[in-house]
Amino acid sequence: MRKVLVLSGPNLHRLGKRQPEIYGHLTLAQVHDRLAAEARQLGVSVECRQSNHEGELVDWIGSAGDQGFSGIVINPGAYTHTSYALFDALLAAGVPAVEVHLSNPEAREPFRRRSRTAPACIGKVAGFGDLSYVLGLRGLLARLEPTQ
Ligand code: DQA
């Protein structure tokens, strides 16, 4: 069965408690559960990981292909706006990635309007809460070769 790596970056472990008016009331575990249910419907599996550490995210992206993942869905959190290291890691990953955001960063503070990481991804979904992860997964799968 095809498997997809789902990564969430800094502060996303606090979903549910963190600014619920922006990020909603679901915990990250609930977001992951909903995504896993959708993945089952689509006939794929997801492995969901979260880290507050840039280097750990870089390591996970870099080893995704070797670990048999067909692609990556990533919410880089605030590293979206700062991280050339994640940009380079995604460029070199050898598997496609889709960037997702719960909120719509472009409708928020000016510093959130630029994504450093999206240019290394095949697409981006933002502003739909936990559904952004689901839509990101669907978009990724639509772009993968049938046999991949
Ligand atoms: C976020 C948007 C980022 O700007 C922010 O730093 C986050 C969450 C989102 O999912 O909406 O941590 O990636």
Side-chain angles (χ1 to χ4, degrees), residues 54 61 74-92 97-101 105-106 110-124:
E54 190 175 20
I61 293 165
I74 182 167
N75 181 351
Y79 289 139
T80 303
H81 316 298
T82 63
S83 181
Y84 292 113
L86 287 182
F87 170 79
D88 277 349
L90 289 164
L91 267 192
V98 173
E99 179 168 309
V100 299
H101 298 282
E106 289 174 21
F111 79 88
R112 294 185 204 276
R113 290 184 195 148
R114 175 181 288 179
S115 172
R116 302 283 183 196
T117 44
C121 295
I122 60 169
K124 181 168 96 168

Side-chain angles (χ1 to χ4, degrees), residues 10 12 18 23 75 77-78 81 101-103 105 108 112:
L12 290 164
R18 174 191 182 200
Y23 298 116
N75 181 351
H81 316 298
H101 298 282
L102 298 150
S103 69
R108 299 177 61 195
R112 294 185 204 276

Side-chain angles (χ1 to χ4, degrees), residues 30-85:
Q30 290 170 323
V31 173
H32 289 166
D33 284 348
R34 288 184 175 199
L35 186 63
E38 175 77 8
R40 274 192 296 278
Q41 297 287 323
L42 296 168
V44 299
S45 72
V46 285
E47 183 169 320
C48 302
R49 305 177 190 167
Q50 187 275 333
S51 179
N52 294 324
H53 303 281
E54 190 175 20
E56 188 162 40
L57 293 164
V58 168
D59 288 344
W60 287 342
I61 293 165
S63 58
D66 290 341
Q67 291 182 356
F69 293 102
S70 301
I72 299 169
V73 172
I74 182 167
N75 181 351
Y79 289 139
T80 303
H81 316 298
T82 63
S83 181
Y84 292 113

